[in-house]
Amino acid sequence: MEHTVSLKENHLFRRAYNRGKSAADSRLALYVRRNGRRNSRLGLTVSTKVGCAVVRNRVRRRLREIYRLNEERLVSGTDVVIVARVRAAESGYRQLEKSFLKLADKLSLLKKDVSP
């Protein structure tokens, strides 16, 4: 994650939840808010409802990798909070990636393609 910093402070998460735009499906909920900076910040939330520590960490690693591989396609200068839902634990990598990209597109987080 070259241009992204981790979002760690609780008040930044709450600001994204309360003032940001959101979209959700059965696997993920995505909260996006402009941060007025040059770089983006990523926060991940995986509740204990998702599963034991091994399962939660697997979901967290998958989401971090999905974000890393698609980072160049995303608009910079945003706070992005990804909340994993219970169905994320039983979902494969491709399903999570498809879900993330669909939600990012819905929130206008994907860059507009300039080439024809």
Side-chain angles (χ1 to χ4, degrees), residues 5-17 37 41-45 79 81:
V5 179
S6 288
L7 200 64
K8 294 180 181 172
E9 297 175 8
N10 190 23
H11 75 276
L12 296 174
F13 277 88
R14 283 195 319 251
R15 188 178 296 157
Y17 294 144
R37 297 170 183 249
R41 297 185 290 195
L42 173 68
L44 297 173
T45 302
D79 289 343
V81 177

Side-chain angles (χ1 to χ4, degrees), residues 35-100:
N35 64 16
R37 297 170 183 249
R38 186 177 289 163
N39 58 354
S40 294
R41 297 185 290 195
L42 173 68
L44 297 173
T45 302
V46 184
S47 168
T48 55
K49 294 177 185 178
V50 174
C52 64
V54 173
V55 173
R56 291 194 313 268
N57 286 328
R58 182 184 311 126
V59 170
R60 214 175 278 124
R61 282 192 309 268
R62 285 179 177 172
L63 292 175
R64 204 174 292 123
E65 182 68 4
I66 288 166
Y67 184 87
R68 185 185 71 83
L69 292 175
N70 293 292
E71 182 179 22
E72 295 300 321
R73 299 174 62 188
L74 303 176
V75 175
S76 61
T78 57
D79 289 343
V80 178
V81 177
I82 304 172
V83 180
R85 295 200 166 166
V86 176
R87 289 199 49 201
E90 59 199 37
S91 301
Y93 177 86
R94 296 286 177 221
Q95 291 172 320
L96 287 175
E97 183 176 38
K98 184 178 176 183
S99 181
F100 173 75

